[in-house]
Structures are given as C-alpha cells and as structure tokens.
Amino acid sequence: MRKPKESFIKLKEKTIIKPFDCGSEDYQIDLTNFLYDNAKLYQKEKMGITYILENYKHTIAFCTILNDKISMSSNEKNIWNKINRNIPNNKRRKSYPAIKIGSLATNTIYQRQGYGAALIDFVKDYLLSNKQFSGCRFITVDASNNEKTISFYKNYGFKFLSDKDNDHKTRCMYHDIMKTE
C-alpha cells in the first residue's frame, strides 16, 4: 500500500483543520485545543504563524512559530559564554535574534514516525534559506518539563538556556542553527 501524500501548508483563516489529537494529557498545555481554538486567532493578531503537515485524511502535525530573542543573564554567565564562543568577537551582543517554536505537536496516530523532526527541519531549513525576511541565528522553545519532551528536543541539538527553570512546568531551550553537532 502506498503512503498517502503529505504536504506543509500555512494556516489561513479559511483553512479547514483535519482531524487531530496529540494526546494532550502528556503536555502542560492542551495543544489539540490550541490548534482548533487559538491558532487562527494568534495568526490574525500577528502573534504567531502556524504551519500544518497534513495528508488527505488527517492533520499529522503542526508547529506555531514566532519571533524571540535570547538575552544574556548575569546569573547564567557560563551558558552565555558557551553561546558567545560561536559568535565572532566583533558581532557579540547582549541578545541575539531567535525564532520560537511556540507549539509543536504530532497527532497520536503518527507519533514516533519522524514528523516532529520534520517540523524542526522545516523551521531550520526556512532559517537557512534565502526566503527568510530577517536575520535569525537561534531557535528557542519552552519545552514541557517532562522526560519525553526534553529528550525529543535534546535529540535535535537543543540545549538548556538556563538552569534556574529545573522545577518549572517548561524549560527554555535553544538551538544554534549555524552550529552542526
């Protein structure tokens, strides 16, 4: 049996969202409800843009991206020094532009098949392409503070931006798109 064709689409006001459930009980926020109830509003209000990976039958996965920055914290100098080592001396700043993955989720029937990774690759490819509108060096995410989610992002090169959020519901993580590991 042939695998159904998949496509990325940018969410629009008239987009009909196909069936989707990410098993939100595993997350700190209900990402299924976000997709159905808030993604279009976020887009309308210029707060984030949602990209959907779908096939003829389902929404397979989605991510919402928005602008962000990472900034130097006087309490986290060791982490900031690691970040700065990859930036030429004459370009070092107290903050750097980033794109935040505001939400990322995969439909339960498609989980553990590489679709979450496909969304991260989509964001990275966009940032490394000539299509991007402005400069951006980093990808950030506030990852749900559970082993499954943290491991997922670590597998794709994300690191913790701080040690102070160990006991929070989310952990701020970043990925330098210019650094290959």
Side-chain angles (χ1 to χ4, degrees), residues 118 120-130 132:
I120 290 175
D121 288 342
F122 172 78
V123 174
K124 285 182 187 179
D125 290 347
Y126 177 79
L127 293 176
L128 292 170
S129 76
N130 292 329
Q132 81 181 79

Side-chain angles (χ1 to χ4, degrees), residues 24 46 105 124:
S24 294
K46 308 289 187 214
K124 285 182 187 179

Side-chain angles (χ1 to χ4, degrees), residues 11 27 43 48 58 65 72 75 87 104 112 118 129 145 156 162-163 169 176:
L11 184 68
Y27 300 96
Q43 202 143 307
H58 295 108
I65 61 172
M72 181 175 85
N75 300 329
I87 309 286
L104 185 149
R112 302 204 187 289
S129 76
N145 195 3
Y156 295 100
S162 174
D163 291 327
K169 290 181 179 180
D176 185 343

Side-chain angles (χ1 to χ4, degrees), residues 75-91:
N75 300 329
E76 301 287 349
K77 286 185 179 178
N78 59 337
I79 293 171
W80 194 253
N81 287 338
K82 289 177 186 176
I83 291 170
N84 267 334
R85 281 188 205 127
N86 296 307
I87 309 286
N89 284 339
N90 62 343
K91 301 295 180 197

Side-chain angles (χ1 to χ4, degrees), residues 160-171:
F160 295 116
L161 191 57
S162 174
D163 291 327
K164 293 189 180 218
D165 56 0
N166 281 336
D167 58 349
H168 294 166
K169 290 181 179 180
T170 60
R171 299 284 318 266

